[in-house]
Amino acid sequence: MSDRLDFSGRNLYELDSYSVSEIETIFETAKIMKQIIKRDYKKIPTLRGKTIATLFFEESTRTRISFELAAKRLSADVISFSSTGSSVKKGESLQDTVYTLNAMGIDLYVVRHSCPGVPQLVHKYSNKPVLNAGDGRHSHPTQALLDMFSIWERKGSLKDLKVTVVGDILHSRVVRSNLIGMSKMGAKVTICGPRTLMPPKIEEVYDAKCEYDLIKAVKDADIIMGLRMQLERQAEGLFPGLSEYSKRYGLSKNVLKYAKRNVLIMHPGPMNRGVEILPEVADSEHSIIIEQVTNGVAIRMAILFLILGGKT
Amino acid sequence: MILLKNGFVYLSSEKKFERLDILIDGKFIKKISPNITTNSAVTYDCKGRYIFPGFVDLHCHLRDPGYTYKEDIESGAKSAAKGGFTSICCMPNTNPTIDNISTVNYVTRKARDVGKTKIFVIGAMSKGSQGKEIANIGSMIKGGIVAISDDGNCIQNAKLMLNVMRYVSIFKIPIISHSEDYSLSKDGQVNYGYMSTKLGLPGIPTLAEEIMVSRDIMLADVTNTNIHIAHASTKRTVDLIRYAKKQGIKITAEVTPHHLILTEQACENFDTNTKMKPPLRSEQDRQALINGLLDDTIDIIATDHAPHSDYEKELEFIKAPFGTIGFESAFPALYTNFVKTKKIKFEKLIEKMTSRPTEIIGKELGKIEEGKPADITVVDLNKSYTFTEEEILSKSKNSPFLGNKFWGKIEMTICDGKFTWKI
């Protein structure tokens, strides 16, 4: 582990402001954290006395719990804020919410919001480090880090791996962060889905290949990642129906035949079993979906440790 | 009397600068000549200064009545005067909407009382700018409106737009089209393309504008109406206007300083001051707008001054309203970016901001000539400064140009022979 990198006080809005060596440092740290959470006594005192606020203006279960567990395992105090039943429902602005919490001595904010750019606003109002836990369709950097860490653990590196991401690319913040991070780490990413669910100029914005035919997209893939297909997109006229989607883009055993023999199957969850992924694939020996969840806690512990805990 | 001595005076009829003196008597320019001498005038030495006709803005929002916390007629007029404008045309999307004679009279009366700049009123095309029924256009024309527009909104129903054009065609005033197909622009926040993908924000495609520009060109053709395309923002819009002009359709168009200077790249940091409609577009679109201006496909530059309060703009990007202020940055931003860099001839810029807009609304303004109203702007082109919130006179500070270094300080604005701005 490098002893020169200094993460203290940094924000994490998106992975583009983190270098390859910084991401590797996060992975190395997460490896240690993973050992800690596998112990019987899963807690270390590193962040004792620090207070972390998780601001979830948009509903979430796994990301919020994962962050809170990560903070608690580092012995930080956690203030959990969700807009449901809060002063936000009474019309309080984001600015006033942050001013109020800041006055209570928060050391770091974890923010999820349906509007892109809100983590930057929270930092502007608080002047404290902010971790983006998902802002609209824009970014979800800790999910990308845990995805990459899961691959890195299994494959040793991401360099030259072929990663195929299948699904609703247009509305996915996960894929945007993964495209930035994985390209940075040397992986070759192919994205696949209906054209109506593909953002414009995506190949220009990111270093990615766009493919509309699933079989071509997964050919020789080292990793296949499914994304959740949302029913409401059907009502928006973006695709004809879930059954047609499933037939064209669902991850089945037949599809896996075209990928590499030791292909890894991933999904950021929650899954629609039988839509974007069939149980035969989700529960197969190729799947590391459950491990991604465990790694999520380790990665978030690593980031909190690095940003609030000091130098590596 | 006022005597401006030794300035480089822009003569609109000859489209050139000459070192001259200008003698102003009351509301009018009495004499333009080298070496005027008189004992009865207050004399200002304008050596090294450039003197233009006062700028004319065909498109602004004064938010009065109804939203005076953003701007009112007085603060808007002061801001315009500081920006060198002597005539401005305000859009009707107020509350109540300027869709009837009494609201027209309210704005006209208040504008006259304030007196800082000439304010011309643009009436709504449809009642409440709701796009459902034709507004009382005839009576508003009697009240002095210079154009009609539902700016901020766009009539989606082609039949109603056709009827508005048919109805207005007998009055000889232009229809200003805010061209936007809502089915395509919907929840859009920024340009549909590179930036919408990068920021994960819903996009507004160029098609949303182009489809409506195409429709309105066709409707203007069959009704023989004067159509003016507001805030053109895309390459294809410029192409469509160029085509329509070649066909002899009575079409004019405007572009804003921000669409000429900035691209969608400016939105990268989620700065809500860069959120506007139409959105900032691609570099290819920007270049097409500049080319359209150079070959006169685009007739004028208008500010689309759209003030919003800080608490409205200091929100999540999706929640913040669209719009940027423009009076006080328009000339220095354009001069700095285009004239100083020799991309646009100075004379062309002045025409696009003075005489040409007044032709579109049929007013004899925007020229420095003996016997004409003394509407004059005096500028020191050699003075540079940083554009900051502190110096803005508008009630609102929502400008994407904050922190920019500009050349060309407006030192004096004279409207009807009176100083409306002076450093």
Side-chain angles (χ1 to χ4, degrees), chain A residues 118 125 137-138 176 199-200, chain B residues 192 197-200 270 314 316:
Chain A
V118 164
Y125 301 143
R137 310 172 184 181
H138 174 230
R176 283 174 169 80
Chain B
Y192 177 84
T197 294
K198 185 154 197 275
L199 300 181
F270 297 101
E314 285 208 2
E316 298 88 320

Side-chain angles (χ1 to χ4, degrees), chain B residues 76-96:
Chain B
K78 280 181 182 168
S79 175
K82 185 164 185 271
F85 289 89
T86 52
S87 294
I88 57 175
C89 304
C90 61
M91 284 293 176
N93 56 339
T94 50
N95 187 15

